Amino acid sequence: MDRKAEARWNGGLKDGNGTVKLESGAFEGPYSFTSRFESGKGTNPEELLGAAHAGCDAFLVIPAEPQAFATQEWKFAVNSFIVTGASKRGWTTWLAAATGDKRVKAIAPIVIDTLNMPLQMKNQTAAFGKPSEMIKDYVERKLVPIPDTPEAKKLWTMIDPYVYRDKITVPKMIINGTNDPYWPLDALNSYWDELRGDKWVLYVPNAGHDLRERDASGKPELVPLRAVNTLSAFSRCMIFDKPMPGL
């Protein structure tokens, strides 16, 4: 895959600034030393996109011992993968599937119920009265509410998995908590019908962003058993090409 971008820089290393423009035209925006290497304001969307491609590159790094074990015990070589992750790692999970890498056999994005971001932000504000406190860093940087500017729209278009939904056709298991403070309970309605391919969803009851269920006193379980068991069952079906349970 051959991709090009254009970057311009003015001034010194730490006090200068520049702009970056993608070949596709999907994004053009400013950047600076602090936005690249510290926590300053400015463009840094490659954190997500880079993580997605790095995850796919990691498929190549399979030690000889696990590969030999799979060949001997399971009678097949490990040539495909199920990608999963929670929160920002769930965001990366969606984007890894969007790369089109054929080694991604299935995905299980966890607690990242935010596809179709422009609509999500409107619904979130309507439900909570303001953006969730959990995304205050985005609010402070004026990324949310999404500014009505060409630059902001290009940025969000580049990193919103919803934009790539036609490419994400692999089987997907979405896992969310019903009490997750990051987004309203009905956030899934903003994108579920538009997803392509086989799809399933698990809502863990009485669970927040950590997916640990709470009892009547509010005490959380030690580990998120329902989520782990569901992910295990999904992975087994995908690995061994078994059908998922149906209704």
Coordinates of all heavy atoms in Angstrom, one line a residue, residues 40-106:
G40 N -0.3 19.4 24.0 CA -0.8 20.7 23.5 C -1.9 20.5 22.5 O -2.1 19.4 21.9
K41 N -2.5 21.6 22.2 CA -3.6 21.6 21.2 C -3.1 21.5 19.8 O -2.0 22.0 19.5 CB -4.4 22.9 21.3 CG -5.2 23.1 22.6 CD -6.0 24.3 22.7 CE -6.7 24.5 24.0 NZ -7.5 25.7 24.1
G42 N -3.8 20.8 19.0 CA -3.4 20.6 17.6 C -3.7 19.3 17.1 O -4.3 18.5 17.8
T43 N -3.3 19.0 15.9 CA -3.7 17.8 15.2 C -2.9 16.6 15.7 O -1.6 16.7 15.8 CB -3.4 17.9 13.7 OG1 -4.1 19.1 13.2 CG2 -3.9 16.7 12.9
N44 N -3.5 15.5 16.0 CA -2.8 14.3 16.3 C -3.7 13.1 16.1 O -3.9 12.2 17.0 CB -2.4 14.3 17.8 CG -1.2 13.3 18.0 OD1 -0.7 12.7 17.1 ND2 -0.8 13.2 19.3
P45 N -4.3 13.0 14.9 CA -5.3 11.9 14.7 C -4.6 10.5 14.4 O -5.2 9.5 14.5 CB -6.0 12.3 13.4 CG -5.0 13.2 12.7 CD -4.3 13.9 13.8
E46 N -3.3 10.6 14.1 CA -2.6 9.3 13.8 C -2.5 8.4 15.0 O -2.0 7.2 14.9 CB -1.2 9.6 13.2 CG -0.2 10.2 14.1 CD -0.3 11.7 14.1 OE1 -1.3 12.3 13.7 OE2 0.7 12.3 14.5
E47 N -2.8 8.9 16.2 CA -2.7 8.0 17.4 C -3.7 6.8 17.1 O -3.3 5.6 17.4 CB -3.2 8.7 18.7 CG -2.2 9.7 19.2 CD -2.6 10.4 20.4 OE1 -3.7 10.0 21.0 OE2 -1.9 11.3 20.9
L48 N -4.9 7.1 16.7 CA -5.8 6.0 16.4 C -5.5 5.2 15.1 O -5.5 4.0 15.1 CB -7.2 6.6 16.3 CG -7.9 7.0 17.6 CD1 -9.1 7.8 17.3 CD2 -8.2 5.8 18.4
L49 N -5.2 6.0 14.0 CA -4.9 5.3 12.8 C -3.6 4.5 12.9 O -3.5 3.4 12.3 CB -4.8 6.4 11.7 CG -6.1 7.2 11.5 CD1 -5.9 8.2 10.3 CD2 -7.3 6.4 11.2
G50 N -2.6 5.1 13.5 CA -1.4 4.3 13.7 C -1.6 3.1 14.5 O -1.0 2.0 14.3
A51 N -2.4 3.2 15.6 CA -2.7 2.0 16.4 C -3.4 0.9 15.6 O -3.1 -0.3 15.8 CB -3.5 2.4 17.6
A52 N -4.3 1.3 14.7 CA -5.0 0.3 13.9 C -4.0 -0.4 13.0 O -4.0 -1.7 12.9 CB -6.0 1.0 13.1
H53 N -3.1 0.3 12.3 CA -2.2 -0.4 11.5 C -1.1 -1.1 12.2 O -0.6 -2.2 11.8 CB -1.5 0.7 10.5 CG -2.4 1.1 9.4 ND1 -2.6 0.4 8.3 CD2 -3.1 2.3 9.3 CE1 -3.4 1.0 7.5 NE2 -3.8 2.2 8.1
A54 N -0.7 -0.6 13.4 CA 0.3 -1.3 14.2 C -0.3 -2.6 14.7 O 0.4 -3.7 14.8 CB 0.7 -0.5 15.4
G55 N -1.6 -2.6 15.0 CA -2.2 -3.9 15.4 C -2.2 -4.9 14.3 O -1.9 -6.1 14.6
C56 N -2.4 -4.5 13.1 CA -2.4 -5.4 12.0 C -0.9 -5.9 11.7 O -0.7 -7.1 11.4 CB -2.9 -4.8 10.7 SG -4.7 -4.4 10.8
D57 N 0.0 -5.0 11.9 CA 1.4 -5.4 11.7 C 1.9 -6.4 12.8 O 2.7 -7.3 12.5 CB 2.4 -4.2 11.8 CG 2.2 -3.3 10.6 OD1 1.7 -3.8 9.5 OD2 2.6 -2.1 10.6
A58 N 1.2 -6.3 13.9 CA 1.6 -7.3 15.0 C 1.2 -8.7 14.7 O 1.7 -9.7 15.3 CB 0.9 -6.8 16.3
F59 N 0.3 -8.9 13.7 CA -0.1 -10.2 13.3 C 1.1 -11.0 12.8 O 1.1 -12.3 12.9 CB -1.1 -10.2 12.2 CG -2.4 -9.6 12.5 CD1 -3.2 -9.0 11.5 CD2 -2.8 -9.5 13.8 CE1 -4.4 -8.4 11.8 CE2 -4.0 -8.9 14.2 CZ -4.8 -8.3 13.2
L60 N 2.1 -10.3 12.3 CA 3.3 -11.0 11.8 C 4.2 -11.5 12.9 O 5.1 -12.4 12.6 CB 4.1 -10.0 10.9 CG 3.3 -9.5 9.7 CD1 4.2 -8.4 9.0 CD2 3.0 -10.6 8.7
V61 N 4.0 -11.0 14.1 CA 4.9 -11.4 15.2 C 4.3 -12.5 16.0 O 3.8 -12.3 17.1 CB 5.2 -10.1 16.1 CG1 6.3 -10.5 17.1 CG2 5.7 -9.0 15.2
I62 N 4.4 -13.7 15.5 CA 3.9 -14.9 16.2 C 5.1 -15.8 16.5 O 5.7 -16.3 15.6 CB 2.9 -15.7 15.3 CG1 1.8 -14.7 14.9 CG2 2.4 -16.8 16.1 CD1 0.8 -15.4 14.0
P63 N 5.5 -15.9 17.8 CA 6.6 -16.7 18.2 C 6.4 -18.2 17.6 O 5.3 -18.6 17.4 CB 6.6 -16.7 19.7 CG 5.9 -15.4 20.0 CD 4.9 -15.2 19.0
A64 N 7.5 -18.8 17.4 CA 7.5 -20.2 16.8 C 6.8 -21.2 17.7 O 6.1 -22.1 17.2 CB 8.9 -20.6 16.6
E65 N 6.9 -21.0 19.1 CA 6.3 -22.0 20.0 C 4.8 -22.0 19.9 O 4.2 -23.1 19.7 CB 6.7 -21.7 21.4 CG 8.2 -22.0 21.7 CD 9.1 -20.8 21.2 OE1 8.6 -19.8 20.8 OE2 10.3 -21.0 21.3
P66 N 4.1 -20.8 20.0 CA 2.6 -20.9 19.8 C 2.2 -21.4 18.4 O 1.2 -22.1 18.3 CB 2.2 -19.4 20.0 CG 3.3 -18.8 20.8 CD 4.6 -19.5 20.4
Q67 N 2.9 -21.0 17.4 CA 2.5 -21.5 16.1 C 2.7 -23.0 16.0 O 1.8 -23.7 15.4 CB 3.4 -20.8 15.0 CG 3.0 -21.1 13.6 CD 1.7 -20.4 13.2 OE1 0.7 -21.0 13.4 NE2 1.8 -19.2 12.7
A68 N 3.8 -23.5 16.6 CA 4.0 -25.0 16.6 C 2.9 -25.7 17.4 O 2.4 -26.8 17.0 CB 5.4 -25.3 17.1
F69 N 2.5 -25.1 18.5 CA 1.4 -25.7 19.4 C 0.1 -25.7 18.6 O -0.6 -26.8 18.6 CB 1.3 -24.8 20.6 CG 0.2 -25.3 21.5 CD1 0.4 -26.3 22.4 CD2 -1.1 -24.8 21.4 CE1 -0.6 -26.8 23.3 CE2 -2.2 -25.2 22.2 CZ -1.9 -26.2 23.2
A70 N -0.2 -24.6 17.9 CA -1.4 -24.6 17.1 C -1.4 -25.7 16.0 O -2.4 -26.4 15.8 CB -1.7 -23.2 16.5
T71 N -0.3 -25.8 15.4 CA -0.2 -26.8 14.3 C -0.3 -28.2 14.8 O -1.0 -29.1 14.2 CB 1.2 -26.6 13.6 OG1 1.3 -25.3 13.1 CG2 1.3 -27.6 12.4
Q72 N 0.3 -28.5 16.0 CA 0.3 -29.8 16.5 C -1.1 -30.2 17.2 O -1.6 -31.2 16.9 CB 1.4 -30.0 17.5 CG 1.5 -31.4 18.2 CD 2.6 -31.5 19.1 OE1 3.5 -30.7 19.1 NE2 2.6 -32.6 19.9
E73 N -1.6 -29.3 18.0 CA -2.7 -29.6 18.8 C -4.0 -29.3 18.1 O -5.0 -30.0 18.2 CB -2.7 -28.7 20.1 CG -1.5 -29.1 21.0 CD -1.6 -30.5 21.6 OE1 -2.7 -31.0 21.8 OE2 -0.5 -31.1 21.8
W74 N -4.1 -28.2 17.3 CA -5.3 -27.9 16.6 C -5.3 -28.2 15.1 O -6.3 -28.0 14.5 CB -5.6 -26.4 16.8 CG -5.7 -26.0 18.2 CD1 -6.1 -26.7 19.3 CD2 -5.4 -24.7 18.8 NE1 -6.1 -26.0 20.4 CE2 -5.6 -24.8 20.2 CE3 -4.9 -23.5 18.3 CZ2 -5.4 -23.7 21.0 CZ3 -4.7 -22.4 19.1 CH2 -4.9 -22.5 20.5
K75 N -4.2 -28.6 14.6 CA -4.1 -29.0 13.2 C -4.3 -27.9 12.2 O -4.8 -28.1 11.2 CB -5.0 -30.2 12.9 CG -5.0 -31.4 13.9 CD -3.6 -31.9 14.1 CE -3.6 -33.1 15.1 NZ -2.2 -33.6 15.4
F76 N -3.9 -26.7 12.6 CA -3.9 -25.6 11.6 C -2.9 -24.5 12.0 O -2.6 -24.4 13.2 CB -5.3 -25.0 11.4 CG -5.9 -24.3 12.6 CD1 -5.5 -23.0 13.0 CD2 -6.8 -24.9 13.5 CE1 -6.0 -22.4 14.1 CE2 -7.4 -24.3 14.6 CZ -6.9 -23.0 14.9
A77 N -2.5 -23.8 11.1 CA -1.6 -22.6 11.3 C -2.4 -21.4 11.6 O -3.5 -21.2 11.2 CB -0.7 -22.4 10.1
V78 N -1.8 -20.5 12.4 CA -2.5 -19.3 12.8 C -2.3 -18.3 11.7 O -1.2 -17.6 11.6 CB -2.0 -18.7 14.1 CG1 -2.7 -17.4 14.5 CG2 -2.2 -19.8 15.2
N79 N -3.3 -18.1 10.9 CA -3.2 -17.1 9.7 C -4.2 -16.0 9.8 O -4.1 -15.1 9.0 CB -3.4 -17.9 8.4 CG -2.3 -18.9 8.2 OD1 -1.1 -18.6 8.4 ND2 -2.6 -20.1 7.7
S80 N -5.1 -16.1 10.8 CA -6.1 -15.0 10.9 C -6.3 -14.8 12.4 O -5.9 -15.5 13.2 CB -7.4 -15.5 10.2 OG -7.9 -16.7 10.8
F81 N -7.0 -13.6 12.6 CA -7.0 -13.1 14.0 C -8.4 -12.5 14.3 O -9.1 -12.0 13.5 CB -6.0 -12.1 14.3 CG -4.6 -12.6 14.0 CD1 -4.0 -12.7 12.8 CD2 -3.8 -13.0 15.1 CE1 -2.8 -13.1 12.6 CE2 -2.5 -13.5 14.9 CZ -2.0 -13.6 13.6
I82 N -8.8 -12.6 15.6 CA -9.9 -11.9 16.2 C -9.4 -10.7 16.9 O -8.6 -10.9 17.9 CB -10.8 -12.8 17.1 CG1 -11.3 -14.0 16.3 CG2 -11.9 -12.0 17.7 CD1 -11.9 -15.1 17.2
V83 N -9.8 -9.5 16.5 CA -9.2 -8.3 17.2 C -10.3 -7.8 18.2 O -11.5 -7.7 17.9 CB -9.0 -7.2 16.1 CG1 -8.4 -6.0 16.7 CG2 -8.0 -7.8 15.0
T84 N -9.8 -7.5 19.4 CA -10.7 -7.0 20.4 C -9.9 -5.9 21.2 O -8.7 -5.9 21.3 CB -11.2 -8.1 21.3 OG1 -12.2 -7.6 22.2 CG2 -10.1 -8.7 22.1
G85 N -10.7 -5.1 21.9 CA -10.1 -4.1 22.8 C -11.2 -3.3 23.4 O -12.3 -3.3 22.9
A86 N -10.9 -2.6 24.5 CA -11.9 -1.9 25.2 C -11.6 -0.4 25.2 O -10.5 0.1 25.2 CB -12.0 -2.3 26.7
S87 N -12.7 0.4 25.1 CA -12.6 1.9 25.1 C -11.8 2.4 23.9 O -12.2 2.0 22.8 CB -12.0 2.4 26.4 OG -12.3 3.8 26.6
K88 N -10.7 3.1 24.1 CA -9.9 3.5 22.9 C -9.4 2.3 22.1 O -9.2 2.4 20.9 CB -8.8 4.5 23.3 CG -9.3 5.8 23.8 CD -8.1 6.7 24.1 CE -8.6 8.1 24.6 NZ -7.5 9.0 25.0
R89 N -9.1 1.3 22.8 CA -8.6 0.0 22.1 C -9.8 -0.5 21.3 O -9.6 -1.2 20.3 CB -8.1 -1.0 23.1 CG -6.7 -0.8 23.6 CD -6.4 0.5 24.3 NE -7.3 0.6 25.5 CZ -7.3 1.6 26.3 NH1 -6.5 2.7 26.1 NH2 -8.1 1.7 27.4
G90 N -11.0 -0.3 21.8 CA -12.2 -0.7 21.0 C -12.3 0.1 19.7 O -12.7 -0.4 18.6
W91 N -12.0 1.4 19.8 CA -12.0 2.3 18.7 C -10.9 1.8 17.7 O -11.2 1.7 16.5 CB -11.5 3.7 19.2 CG -11.9 4.9 18.3 CD1 -12.2 4.8 17.0 CD2 -12.0 6.2 18.8 NE1 -12.5 6.1 16.6 CE2 -12.4 7.0 17.6 CE3 -11.8 6.9 20.0 CZ2 -12.6 8.4 17.7 CZ3 -12.0 8.2 20.0 CH2 -12.4 9.0 18.9
T92 N -9.8 1.4 18.2 CA -8.7 0.8 17.3 C -9.2 -0.5 16.7 O -8.9 -0.8 15.5 CB -7.5 0.6 18.1 OG1 -7.0 1.8 18.6 CG2 -6.4 0.0 17.2
T93 N -10.0 -1.3 17.4 CA -10.5 -2.5 16.9 C -11.4 -2.3 15.6 O -11.2 -2.9 14.6 CB -11.4 -3.2 18.0 OG1 -10.5 -3.6 19.1 CG2 -12.0 -4.5 17.4
W94 N -12.3 -1.3 15.7 CA -13.1 -0.9 14.5 C -12.2 -0.5 13.4 O -12.4 -0.9 12.2 CB -14.0 0.2 14.9 CG -15.3 -0.1 15.7 CD1 -15.5 0.2 17.0 CD2 -16.4 -0.8 15.2 NE1 -16.8 -0.3 17.3 CE2 -17.3 -0.9 16.3 CE3 -16.7 -1.4 14.0 CZ2 -18.6 -1.5 16.1 CZ3 -18.0 -2.1 13.9 CH2 -18.9 -2.1 14.9
L95 N -11.2 0.3 13.7 CA -10.4 0.9 12.6 C -9.5 -0.2 12.0 O -9.1 -0.2 10.8 CB -9.5 2.0 13.1 CG -10.4 3.3 13.5 CD1 -9.5 4.4 14.1 CD2 -11.1 3.8 12.2
A96 N -9.1 -1.2 12.8 CA -8.3 -2.3 12.3 C -9.0 -3.1 11.2 O -8.5 -3.5 10.2 CB -7.8 -3.2 13.4
A97 N -10.3 -3.3 11.5 CA -11.2 -4.0 10.5 C -11.4 -3.1 9.2 O -11.5 -3.6 8.1 CB -12.5 -4.3 11.1
A98 N -11.3 -1.8 9.4 CA -11.5 -0.8 8.3 C -10.3 -0.8 7.4 O -10.5 -0.4 6.2 CB -11.8 0.6 8.8
T99 N -9.2 -1.3 7.8 CA -8.0 -1.3 7.0 C -8.2 -2.2 5.8 O -7.5 -2.1 4.8 CB -6.7 -1.7 7.7 OG1 -6.9 -3.0 8.2 CG2 -6.5 -0.8 8.9
G100 N -9.1 -3.2 5.9 CA -9.2 -4.2 4.9 C -8.3 -5.3 4.9 O -8.2 -6.2 4.0
D101 N -7.5 -5.4 6.0 CA -6.5 -6.5 6.2 C -7.3 -7.8 6.3 O -8.1 -8.0 7.2 CB -5.7 -6.3 7.5 CG -4.5 -7.2 7.6 OD1 -4.7 -8.4 7.4 OD2 -3.4 -6.7 7.9
K102 N -7.0 -8.7 5.4 CA -7.7 -10.0 5.3 C -7.5 -10.9 6.5 O -8.2 -11.9 6.7 CB -7.4 -10.7 4.0 CG -7.7 -9.9 2.7 CD -9.2 -9.6 2.6 CE -9.6 -8.9 1.4 NZ -11.0 -8.5 1.3
R103 N -6.5 -10.6 7.2 CA -6.2 -11.5 8.4 C -7.1 -11.2 9.6 O -7.2 -12.0 10.5 CB -4.7 -11.3 8.9 CG -3.7 -11.8 7.8 CD -2.3 -11.3 8.2 NE -2.2 -9.8 8.1 CZ -1.1 -9.2 8.3 NH1 0.0 -9.8 8.7 NH2 -1.1 -7.9 8.2
V104 N -7.9 -10.1 9.5 CA -8.8 -9.8 10.5 C -10.1 -10.6 10.2 O -10.9 -10.3 9.3 CB -9.2 -8.3 10.5 CG1 -10.3 -8.0 11.6 CG2 -7.9 -7.4 10.8
K105 N -10.3 -11.7 11.0 CA -11.4 -12.6 10.8 C -12.7 -12.1 11.4 O -13.8 -12.4 10.9 CB -11.0 -14.0 11.3 CG -12.0 -15.1 10.9 CD -11.5 -16.4 11.2 CE -12.5 -17.5 10.7 NZ -11.9 -18.9 11.0
A106 N -12.5 -11.5 12.6 CA -13.7 -11.0 13.3 C -13.2 -10.0 14.3 O -12.0 -9.9 14.6 CB -14.4 -12.1 14.0

